[in-house]
Amino acid sequence: MGIFIYRAVSREGKRVAGRVEASNTQMAAASVQEMGLIALSVEADVGDKALRPARDRLQLRRITRKDMLLFTEELSTLVRAGLPLDKSLEITAELAAKPALRKVIEDVLKQIKGGGSLADGLSAHPKQFSKLYVNMVRAGEAGGILDVILERLTEFERSADELRSYVSASLVYPALLATVGLGSVAILFYFVIPRFAGIFEDVGAQIPPSTLVLIAIANFSRSYWWLVLAALGLAVISGRAFLRSPEGARTWDRVQLRIPLLGSTILKLEVARFAGTLGTLIRSGVPLIAAVRIVEGIANNRVLADAISRIADGAKRGEGVAGPMTDAGLFPGLAVHLVAVGEETGRLDTMLIQVAEVYEKDVRSAVKMLTSVFEPAIILVMGVLIGGVVLSMLTAIFSINDIAF
């Protein structure tokens, strides 16, 4: 048994905090619910706050993704419990640990009290609330299912956070390998190769062409390193400017879908979002055409957004969903087939949600595969690069034995 600290609200919206004894977090949350309270957070008691990591105290001004996940969870819990939206936002603002987040929530609440919608209030803070987040909330308000959408957003944000943590942990070792490999190459080019070049000149040996190329690269990088950095900086700035333009962003989205392995993963992720949200809207009574128009703003990839727009046009002409999906030529065959079955059986909402579940699982499997492939790929690239440099130097060294004395 352990002690857990809980934060909750009563059915009247009054804040409550306290401690409860339980064997785990789930049992502690159940105990709080038995008290007639709405549990917002349940954490193990770590004692004095001063003992918590200093990093948590140093990041009070920066709003992180975990902060946004906690906010979404709290707002979803309160709205689902039947509290009015303005009261729910007031409570989440009071519970916010960081002043910056509290200010954002208060600004959203101010816009709602001024007659605006929750989506409009969130859209005024694009750094904290993504386009996907805002459009899903807008969809929930339009369909009268804000509680359902907030719950789905919570699941999505939690899943995305777990995915980011998994990818970050998986990339630690490959990143370490890449850093060591690049450091080794830098040492070879800045210290080893120039010394060998001096030895070859003193001996008067004929230097192989591959070694001459390495020496030229080493001399250039040592003498004009500032030019290399300037060129890289200019390339980054130009690339960002191109990607910010409508045509550049569309071109990049098109290229992303064509990247081997990664492109199919991105497509599956977008299809899961599209199908899950559309199915939820249709199940909640939103007309098909209006639902597709709402979902069009959820897609992060512009190429797929154009395809969804064509689906909306097709639905308006009475062509349904499966036909325009096939004509778009982007959607996986399984997704199109399941949607067609849903239209034929009158269970389009159920089949769309099933499509979302299938491709969400596929995305996780694909990410695991990509991270498992990435590590040996880094080792192979670094090995070939360093091995090529060393082999070229050894060839030059062996060529000294051919000199006639």
Side-chain angles (χ1 to χ4, degrees), residues 34-55:
E34 290 175 358
M35 301 177 192
L37 302 174
I38 304 169
L40 297 177
S41 67
V42 179
E43 301 174 347
D45 188 0
V46 296
D48 191 352
K49 291 184 178 181
L51 298 178
R52 295 181 180 179
R55 184 181 63 180

Side-chain angles (χ1 to χ4, degrees), residues 94-297:
E94 293 175 2
L95 294 174
K98 297 183 178 180
L101 179 59
R102 187 179 304 115
K103 184 177 180 181
V104 169
I105 300 173
E106 290 174 348
D107 183 68
V108 173
L109 178 60
K110 181 179 179 181
Q111 295 192 46
I112 289 177
K113 289 183 176 180
S117 65
L118 176 60
D120 293 335
L122 298 178
S123 64
H125 302 276
K127 290 184 178 180
Q128 285 75 40
F129 302 100
S130 64
K131 183 177 67 173
L132 172 67
Y133 195 110
V134 173
N135 281 312
M136 285 193 70
V137 170
R138 197 182 304 279
E141 291 180 306
I145 52 169
L146 183 59
D147 55 340
V148 177
I149 291 296
L150 284 174
E151 185 176 4
R152 182 167 182 81
L153 263 175
T154 300
E155 295 173 356
F156 173 77
E157 292 291 335
R158 186 185 296 112
S159 176
D161 184 68
E162 292 174 357
L163 192 60
R164 279 191 297 269
S165 300
Y166 173 78
V167 172
S168 299
S170 300
L171 292 180
V172 169
Y173 184 58
L176 180 61
L177 289 175
T179 302
V180 172
L182 291 175
S184 301
V185 171
I187 292 173
L188 287 173
F189 274 94
Y190 279 81
F191 299 102
V192 179
I193 294 178
R195 293 195 177 187
F196 271 99
I199 295 173
F200 294 147
E201 290 178 2
D202 293 339
V203 174
Q206 174 115 19
I207 304 176
S210 60
T211 309
L212 285 174
V213 172
L214 291 178
I215 293 173
I217 295 174
N219 291 335
F220 180 84
S221 59
R222 283 168 60 89
S223 302
Y224 300 99
W225 58 269
W226 53 271
L227 185 60
V228 175
L229 291 180
L232 289 175
L234 182 61
V236 170
I237 294 173
S238 301
R240 292 184 64 179
F242 176 73
L243 293 178
R244 286 177 180 174
S245 65
E247 187 58 33
R250 192 177 301 277
T251 300
W252 173 238
D253 286 343
R254 191 178 298 111
V255 169
Q256 283 182 329
L257 295 178
R258 295 176 180 174
I259 299 175
L261 298 179
L262 182 61
S264 61
T265 304
I266 294 173
L267 179 60
K268 290 176 181 177
L269 179 61
E270 294 286 358
V271 170
R273 290 176 181 173
F274 160 74
T277 307
L278 182 60
T280 302
L281 290 172
I282 294 175
R283 176 170 291 182
S284 303
V286 180
L288 175 61
I289 299 174
V292 178
R293 288 297 185 193
I294 292 171
V295 175
E296 182 182 352

Side-chain angles (χ1 to χ4, degrees), residues 7-24:
R7 292 187 303 171
V9 294
S10 64
R11 297 293 175 181
E12 295 76 25
K14 183 179 178 181
R15 288 181 56 190
V16 181
R19 288 177 169 81
V20 63
E21 187 176 359
S23 56
N24 53 47

